[in-house]
Structure formats: structure tokens, C-alpha cells
Amino acid sequence: MTIREATPDDVPAILRLVRALATYEKEPDAVEATEEHFRSALFPTEGTPTTFAHVAEADGEVVGMAVWYLTFSTWTGVNGIWLEDLFVEPGHRGSGLGRELLATLARTCIERGYRRLEWWVLDWNEPSIGFYKSLDAVPQDEWTVFRMDGDALTSLGT
């Protein structure tokens, strides 16, 4: 088993895993992203990437991923990592790949002086919540997530 930074060749596998995650999260038709979206975010031809990814391999096949980007805390004055998606195929769960993906991001934080590694988890996802708590991650229950998209975003922005 290997954890490594994603390469452009991993984009199809990352999109496959994102679709599998959407199915797991009971939104199989919600993924609009294409390989081109991932290529341009992860491996832009100009400028710097806005998104990063690590993949987990077992027997030479990509079976897990962590897609993330940088955040900034006005309270600490330094960057952190926002883990957008963590997913390991069901057949490879319990193998330590999820833990190693998170440990890799934790090491990235430590090496770069980032102070936080943060993510969301759906309230009903008890297996993941238990896994995160086993790593001493602390739920931030006092916060409510807000989102604006679609017509509301267009209405406010125009």
C-alpha cells in the first residue's frame, strides 16, 4: 500500500472515486465535475494549483483519495488544510489507508507550519465519525454550515 501525491494520470481514478463517494453519500447524480475540471484545478497549465490531492494505492491501483485546499485563519494568522473529500473504496476500508491519508495531510501541516486540518462529515455517517474520533479529531458542533449556490447565489451576485 502506498500514499503519494496525485499525478495527472490519476485524474480518471480521482473522478471515479468522487463518483463512488457521491453514491455513498446518497447523491449519485450530484457530481458535475469532469476530468478537465480536476486537471485544471490540480495541474493548471498556468499559475499555481488551487486544489491538491493524494492517492492511496493497493496493488498498483488507486483505491483511495484525499482532495484538499488551503485555508487561512484570521485568528492564528496562518494557513491550514481543508480536506474536501476523503474516500477509500469499501473493499479497502480498515486497511489503514484512510488513516495514512490523514496522517500524510497532518505531516504536511506540521512541515509547512499550518495550524489546522479541518473537514466536514455528514451527521448520519457514524462509521466515519467514529473513525475520526479514534484519531482524536474533535467535532465542531457549535458551528452551522451555510451554503449559497444556484438561484440564491445568482440573485445576490447580480
Side-chain angles (χ1 to χ4, degrees):
M1 296 186 294
T2 305
I3 305 297
R4 61 175 174 75
E5 290 183 15
T7 69
D9 290 339
D10 294 318
V11 167
I14 291 169
L15 184 55
R16 175 180 53 79
L17 292 169
V18 167
R19 289 182 177 137
L21 173 62
T23 298
Y24 176 78
E25 291 184 349
K26 303 174 184 166
E27 299 235 21
D29 299 323
V31 177
E32 297 177 18
T34 65
E35 287 184 18
E36 185 51 41
H37 288 124
F38 280 98
R39 274 194 190 84
S40 114
L42 294 166
F43 310 104
T45 55
E46 294 182 20
T48 55
T50 59
T51 309
F52 308 90
H54 284 76
V55 294
E57 286 184 324
D59 300 320
E61 180 184 351
V62 174
V63 297
M65 63 161 188
V67 178
W68 57 278
Y69 55 89
L70 293 181
T71 60
F72 179 78
S73 168
T74 56
W75 288 22
T76 67
V78 297
N79 289 108
I81 287 178
W82 184 269
L83 175 59
E84 180 64 19
D85 283 325
L86 175 72
F87 186 76
V88 174
E89 290 180 341
H92 294 277
R93 292 186 188 145
S95 68
L97 288 173
R99 184 185 195 295
E100 282 307 308
L101 282 163
L102 284 170
T104 298
L105 297 185
R107 282 191 294 278
T108 300
C109 286
I110 292 165
E111 290 165 3
R112 298 181 185 180
Y114 301 162
R115 299 269 303 273
R116 295 178 178 167
L117 172 56
E118 300 175 293
W119 62 92
W120 294 337
V121 62
L122 291 166
D123 290 339
W124 58 260
N125 193 345
E126 289 298 327
S128 293
I129 292 168
F131 168 62
Y132 299 142
K133 286 182 177 179
S134 77
L135 300 175
D136 293 329
V138 180
Q140 302 295 298
D141 296 335
E142 67 275 10
W143 293 90
T144 300
V145 176
F146 281 84
R147 174 180 292 161
M148 183 176 285
D149 59 11
D151 291 341
L153 181 65
T154 301
S155 176
L156 182 62
T158 53

